[in-house]
Amino acid sequence: MRTGFSVVTLPRANKSRGPEMANPTQRDAVPYRLAADTFGSEELHAGKAVLDSGRLTMGERVRAFEQEFANWTGSRHAVMVNSGSSANLLMVDAMLRRTEGGAPPWRRGDEILVPALAWPTTVWPLVQLGLVPVFVDVDARTLAIDLSSAESVLSSRTRGMFLIHVLGQMAQMNDILRFCREHGLELLEDSCESLGAHFDGRHAGTFGTMSSFSFYFSHHISSIEGGMVTTADRAIADDLRSLRAHGWVRDRSDRTRWKERFPTFDDRFLFISGGYNVRPMELQAAIASVQLRHSMPCWELANALQAPCRHGSTSPCPGCVSSARNI
Ligand SMILES: Cc1ncc(COP(=O)(O)O)c(C=O)c1O
């Protein structure tokens, strides 16, 4: 199964005028696979098993995949959602609340450093939730936030940094962490383009307070659409679980405590915080789980050029490469 073909028109080489001056009517159409799925029979079987089971909405398979993903990335908690954009939205919202009490790290009006090279839905949640994004130039080598530019825009209202690991490249995390510590900034990571990337042996997304991941069609692993938030903080993970589904307590690790606090309520319908509905489906979790087990090793092997990948190639094969380029 191969979908996602696009046709890219490349300018003909024209030394005298330069390619940018080429007449569009003289362009050659070159078919180039912008994104292709890497689904094999395992994904199809996993998807069919979900449809056959009758349990379609978020349940056991999502919980199992969250655990697999947490183990794989070395995170303590993982909360699956329906996209990387939703993951970013929940992270920012979670920074503005503490359901269990205590002061939230961010308040409306706070300034948050964001890279000038960013995805729209990394920046928009800040605006939508009343924070002020402050754009910072990027480092030409890592394409992540440049710290001297960041230093030049710090103010008394700067409270955080929303870092993006771009196209599989990690930021220099020792410098970033030192900078955040020195200036009292809470760090969020957007690792949507960088599943599998490491810095000093630690996986992208395990450095900040939270990190987002995306399983969109063209990313390293795909659940067609899908995303994840990882965090080391149990209370934050619980707030993310409430935010993900209407603000209810059903999926929280401290559900029993809430039930005891409000004994007259049916705890299936106990809503304790603001919320959205950005839940993933069982189908997405089942497919993503196969992808994590098969496509990521495929990637690692193919990238190292040491062994055939899942598609039988000893070099990054078109199916793998096009999926990872995030085009
Ligand atoms: C850096 C970054 N953040 C967030 C997203 C949004 O992810 P999704 O498409 O799953 O909503 C993308 C999408 O490509 C991205 O590149």
Side-chain angles (χ1 to χ4, degrees):
M1 180 178 11
R2 284 284 167 261
T3 56
F5 268 99
S6 297
V7 172
V8 176
T9 49
L10 299 177
R12 272 207 185 111
N14 182 336
K15 287 199 177 109
S16 59
R17 296 165 65 205
E20 71 282 2
M21 298 289 286
N23 181 338
T25 58
Q26 294 180 325
R27 287 165 182 237
D28 289 331
V30 179
Y32 186 82
R33 208 189 302 266
L34 285 178
D37 74 68
T38 52
F39 290 179
S41 58
E42 302 98 314
E43 284 86 348
L44 300 183
H45 280 121
K48 183 167 184 310
V50 172
L51 296 176
D52 288 341
S53 75
R55 174 66 207 228
L56 306 180
T57 58
M58 188 176 79
E60 278 310 315
R61 286 180 177 86
V62 169
R63 270 190 289 281
F65 178 58
E66 288 175 337
Q67 193 55 57
E68 285 169 32
F69 193 84
N71 295 343
W72 195 82
T73 52
S75 315
R76 236 175 253 156
H77 308 279
V79 179
M80 191 178 183
V81 288
N82 60 2
S83 73
S85 301
S86 300
N88 282 344
L89 177 65
L90 290 204
M91 289 202 298
V92 174
D93 199 318
M95 292 300 278
L96 291 160
R97 67 178 71 237
R98 280 292 177 270
T99 306
E100 285 190 349
W106 291 350
R107 290 179 189 284
R108 282 167 198 276
D110 284 350
E111 294 178 1
I112 311 299
L113 305 178
V114 293
L117 176 61
W119 190 256
T121 50
T122 313
V123 178
W124 278 117
L126 298 168
V127 178
Q128 287 157 340
L129 293 169
L131 292 150
V132 182
V134 177
F135 287 93
V136 177
D137 207 351
V138 295
D139 181 314
R141 286 165 308 132
T142 63
L143 301 179
I145 278 182
D146 173 64
L147 292 179
S148 50
S149 308
E151 184 125 41
S152 69
V153 297
L154 286 174
S155 82
S156 58
R157 297 173 69 185
T158 316
R159 293 278 178 275
M161 178 189 287
F162 206 157
L163 183 70
I164 302 181
H165 303 296
V166 177
L167 293 174
Q169 296 202 96
M170 292 281 302
Q172 289 298 304
M173 290 314 298
N174 39 11
D175 298 336
I176 297 279
L177 291 175
R178 190 177 329 110
F179 183 89
C180 288
R181 208 168 32 246
E182 277 171 14
H183 299 288
L185 307 182
E186 290 270 349
L187 176 68
L188 293 183
E189 293 175 79
D190 180 330
S191 309
C192 286
E193 299 179 7
S194 297
L195 182 64
H198 288 78
F199 182 87
D200 266 357
R202 274 172 70 181
H203 198 286
T206 57
F207 297 85
T209 307
M210 284 173 264
S211 175
S212 59
F213 293 87
S214 165
F215 313 132
Y216 176 62
F217 180 72
S218 63
H219 287 167
H220 296 80
I221 68 168
S222 170
S223 56
I224 308 173
E225 297 274 5
M228 191 74 85
V229 184
T230 54
T231 179
D233 188 314
R234 185 200 51 78
I236 290 179
D238 276 335
D239 282 353
L240 292 167
R241 292 188 187 105
S242 290
L243 284 168
R244 168 176 67 179
H246 315 288
W248 66 27
V249 301
R250 285 190 206 185
D251 312 304
R252 295 178 68 98
S253 66
D254 58 357
R255 176 177 180 172
T256 315
R257 199 170 56 79
W258 287 101
K259 189 181 162 115
E260 285 162 5
R261 202 162 146 197
F262 298 98
T264 55
F265 280 82
D266 177 342
D267 70 336
R268 290 174 303 161
F269 299 100
L270 180 54
F271 302 90
I272 57 159
S273 77
Y276 309 90
N277 180 358
V278 291
R279 285 175 300 199
M281 295 181 288
E282 291 285 87
L283 185 68
Q284 291 165 297
I287 292 172
S289 170
V290 176
Q291 286 263 300
L292 189 67
R293 274 179 279 125
H294 294 293
S295 281
M296 286 314 292
C298 168
W299 262 107
E300 282 154 4
L301 291 173
N303 282 345
L305 303 183
Q306 284 171 351
C309 75
R310 182 154 79 114
H311 307 103
S313 172
T314 49
S315 59
C317 72
C320 293
V321 172
S322 56
S323 273
R325 288 231 168 107
N326 184 54
I327 301 172

